[in-house]
Amino acid sequence: AVSPRQYDRHYAPHTPAYRFLRAQWRGVQDWAGAHGPVGLLSQADDVHLAAPHETVRMPENEQAYARCLYSALRELDEKSLAAIVVLMPARHDGVWAAVADRLRRASVELPL
């Protein structure tokens, strides 16, 4: 039997989900304005979107982030948004590597 984790899109929400890097934030804001309303997952205080968009503030601790990732995606997925955008974590070590892998499986790169 094949494990569901082997499927790249196993963790993907029904709402189109896109990931972006911190350096792309200005472009993401413009993109959201043109494609909104969108949901945003962000662990950075200064990366947030105002209404009509929805921002879910993610924990800065990697263990806590990993624990609440899927519930946060589900929360946004249930809001009938045009898209979900996810700020990729800046760190890539330890648990952050697993978080980044889950985010890659749940999203595609934002076409900026």
Side-chain angles (χ1 to χ4, degrees), residues 7 11-12 15 17 37 39 46 61 75 92-93 103:
Y7 296 111
Y11 299 112
T15 305
D46 59 337
N61 173 278
E75 176 186 337
H92 306 286
D93 57 331
L103 290 172

Side-chain angles (χ1 to χ4, degrees), residues 7-100:
Y7 296 111
D8 283 347
R9 301 284 296 153
H10 173 68
Y11 299 112
H14 296 291
T15 305
Y18 302 96
R19 62 186 177 272
F20 67 95
L21 301 174
R22 179 59 181 251
Q24 298 172 305
W25 176 230
R26 177 60 60 199
V28 172
Q29 291 172 295
D30 294 341
W31 187 91
H35 294 85
V38 304
L40 167 67
L41 291 186
S42 170
Q43 70 275 20
D45 285 333
D46 59 337
V47 176
H48 58 86
L49 293 170
H53 308 289
E54 298 272 343
T55 298
V56 173
R57 178 76 161 84
M58 298 297 288
E60 293 180 28
N61 173 278
E62 66 269 26
Q63 298 285 348
Y65 189 113
R67 276 194 306 274
C68 72
L69 174 59
Y70 297 122
S71 63
L73 283 171
R74 278 193 305 276
E75 176 186 337
L76 290 175
D77 202 18
E78 294 171 357
K79 293 186 180 270
S80 300
L81 298 164
I84 296 170
V85 293
V86 182
L87 173 62
M88 290 295 286
R91 294 183 48 194
H92 306 286
D93 57 331
V95 174
W96 285 120
V99 166

